[in-house]
Amino acid sequence: MDIILSNSSDKPIYEQIASQVKAQILSGTLAAGAKLPSIRALASDLGVSVITTKRAYADLEQLGFICTVQGKGCFVAEGNQELLRENQLCHIEELLAKAASQAETLGVTRDKLHEMLDLVAPETMQ
């Protein structure tokens, strides 16, 4: 698990850890059921306090990204499909917003934009 911390970031260290682990889960780099480093091991690897990594893991667990099994460790939670889908839909919305903004700049109408989307969309979407 690759985590890069930035001392110049406005984000607290625990948020940096949590957001990078979350990103790796959403991208599929960390698969469901994958064992995460222990809180102590991660703290040692990153050179941060155990309290910091514990907070990051607690936040991820509260959001449903990881689960802790007493005596066994922390694992990527099963059933992240809804979280993955939600994240992918947000990405599509961002791309569509950019396309709409560029279309507006070029004076492309909404109807023309719909036509263009219909042309590039697979048959299964219609």
Side-chain angles (χ1 to χ4, degrees):
M1 184 167 68
D2 294 325
I3 295 178
I4 299 169
L5 301 177
S6 170
N7 291 328
S8 61
S9 174
D10 291 341
K11 273 185 168 180
I13 299 294
Y14 74 89
E15 280 185 24
Q16 292 181 49
I17 294 168
S19 67
Q20 289 181 48
V21 172
K22 178 181 172 184
Q24 290 179 41
I25 292 169
L26 291 173
S27 72
T29 304
L30 289 172
K35 188 172 187 336
L36 300 175
S38 72
I39 291 171
R40 290 184 189 279
L42 183 59
S44 176
D45 288 349
L46 297 176
V48 298
S49 162
V50 171
I51 295 169
T52 301
T53 54
K54 184 177 173 99
R55 171 82 186 265
Y57 276 20
D59 287 358
L60 288 166
E61 189 165 21
Q62 183 179 1
L63 293 170
F65 285 96
I66 68 172
C67 59
T68 303
V69 178
Q70 191 66 33
K72 293 191 179 189
C74 296
F75 300 87
V76 176
E78 300 288 336
N80 278 325
Q81 294 308 312
E82 189 57 38
L83 293 171
L84 288 170
R85 180 175 164 71
E86 186 177 320
N87 184 264
Q88 290 168 342
L89 287 173
C90 285
H91 181 66
I92 290 169
E93 287 175 0
E94 289 171 7
L95 292 173
L96 288 171
K98 285 181 184 178
S101 176
Q102 289 180 354
E104 183 180 28
T105 301
L106 296 172
V108 176
T109 66
R110 178 178 282 239
D111 289 338
K112 181 64 177 170
L113 203 55
H114 280 272
E115 282 178 35
M116 293 169 69
L117 183 58
D118 288 341
L119 287 173
V120 298
E123 290 294 319
T124 56
M125 288 184 63
Q126 298 180 13

